[in-house]
Amino acid sequence: MGPTLPLFDEEPARSLADRLRPTRLENVVGQDHLLAPDAPLGRMIAQHRLGSAILWGPPGVGKTTIARLLADAAHLAFAPASATFSGVAELRKVFAAARSRRSVGQGTLLFVDEIHRFNRAQQDSFLPYVEDGTVTLIGATTENPSFELNGALLSRTQVLVLKRLDESALSTLLDRAEALTGHRLPLDDDARHALIAMADGDGRYLLNMAEQLPYSGPMLDTSALAHHIQQRAPLYDKAQEGHYNLISALHKAMRGSDPDAALYWLARTLDGGEDPLFIARRLTRFANEDIGMADPGAVQQALAAWDVYERLGSPEGELAIAQAVVYLATAPKSIAVYRGFTRAAKSARRTGSLMPPAHILNAPTRLMKSLGYGKEYQYDPDTTEGFSGADYFPDGMDHETYYQPTRNGYESQISERLRHWAALRARRRSG
């Protein structure tokens, strides 16, 4: 058999993704929540009142395409700029050209790709031109605008969230590719689903993968597909929102006592390149914060996983982290200690510098003994009940209850013990 040729080779100068770029807004897939007639952008176009906006979404979901089509629909000149390549000088030229167009009645849609890469001062430079209508700004970003864009710019734009493309939308793109080229993808049903899954919601990446497929030879199954296609790395930025979203998902799955979901999010974070030691620290925090005295052994499990990983490293040490995740997810939950400490901290700040009661103070000198330090102190282990019922709060301060154990796990035993001691303390005070 001769050399393998690409499936889509009619126009090598233009990528398949570029050739399939929609020419009308209604042909954009996967973003009906923004583009439908009753959706935000659909209403703007119908009312001829296109406002400045930030398009926030993952790569390959149509941000640039939508911006171009919005300019066409609103009869505006399309002026593209990229925060990666454009500086202040280039922006000044764009604004000057927009002023000239405005003087003859032509509006300008300024599209800024990767707008989050502009610093705060550069972002401020857009404000006067947006406010006076010289440009309609459409910014595109893959990062959370709340973190990356300044408040002044956000207050003058509407943030519109684009969704990652689902299986139906990606399948539609493959159908369009086959219709455009007249070739069927050489994939069986399972391999076709696998190709869509490998795209991870990115339409451009899907079409780029499709271009790598041969158009001659046998039909490919999932195993053969893997020899032709390199799967993309998962979208994950350890310094940005992806980092916080996945760690939050892991934390909440454990809190919700779902070990399967917790293992899934653990795998996602590790696959994305997260530092396992960061996860180990989060597990230790979780053991104290969300389990506490309901299972005092939880923190030991978390610390053991941390220690094992430091000794073994990856990938062997990751199994210890997985074991800790399952233990924490299946452990009884309680935030009674967390809440109790929070209440105690507020009370401590409120009461200031009250001294401990004299009976629990050590008296290493005669003067201190003469002042009553340590007088009538009762050593609890020597009492009949192993409990004296003495008051350990400052003089003049009522006994307060901060720690309120739940009925979950080991705390149910603690709860019974505290009730018993409370009864003994009340009996002591009454008699």
Side-chain angles (χ1 to χ4, degrees), residues 84-105:
T84 305
F85 302 108
S86 301
V88 174
E90 290 80 4
L91 289 176
R92 286 174 181 161
K93 293 177 182 178
V94 171
F95 294 138
R99 275 205 198 95
S100 297
R101 294 190 197 96
R102 190 182 185 192
S103 67
V104 295

Side-chain angles (χ1 to χ4, degrees), residues 48-204:
H48 305 288
R49 295 175 58 186
L50 181 63
S52 294
I54 303 296
L55 304 180
W56 172 30
V61 297
K63 295 186 290 294
T64 302
T65 295
I66 289 174
R68 288 183 179 276
L69 296 179
L70 286 175
D72 292 342
H75 307 293
L76 300 174
F78 184 76
S82 171
T84 305
F85 302 108
S86 301
V88 174
E90 290 80 4
L91 289 176
R92 286 174 181 161
K93 293 177 182 178
V94 171
F95 294 138
R99 275 205 198 95
S100 297
R101 294 190 197 96
R102 190 182 185 192
S103 67
V104 295
Q106 172 69 60
T108 300
L109 186 149
L110 172 59
F111 174 66
V112 182
D113 197 16
E114 304 288 342
I115 192 171
H116 62 275
R117 296 187 183 274
F118 278 125
N119 62 37
R120 302 286 170 159
Q122 290 171 320
Q123 291 177 28
D124 285 340
S125 70
F126 295 109
L127 300 180
Y129 303 99
V130 172
E131 287 180 336
D132 68 10
T134 300
V135 299
T136 297
L137 174 66
I138 302 294
T141 179
T142 57
E143 304 296 341
N144 190 325
S146 300
F147 299 151
E148 303 298 332
L149 301 183
N150 64 33
L153 186 58
L154 286 175
S155 70
R156 292 163 176 81
T157 57
Q158 181 177 358
V159 175
L160 302 174
V161 181
L162 280 75
K163 299 178 180 178
R164 66 190 300 276
L165 301 185
D166 60 17
E167 183 174 352
S168 175
L170 293 171
S171 181
T172 297
L173 291 182
L174 291 183
D175 291 342
R176 290 179 182 178
E178 291 173 331
L180 175 69
T181 63
H183 294 296
R184 285 285 298 170
L185 288 167
L187 303 171
D188 64 22
D189 288 343
D190 289 341
R192 189 181 181 96
H193 287 301
L195 184 70
I196 289 173
M198 291 165 70
D200 197 19
D202 185 332
R204 181 170 53 246

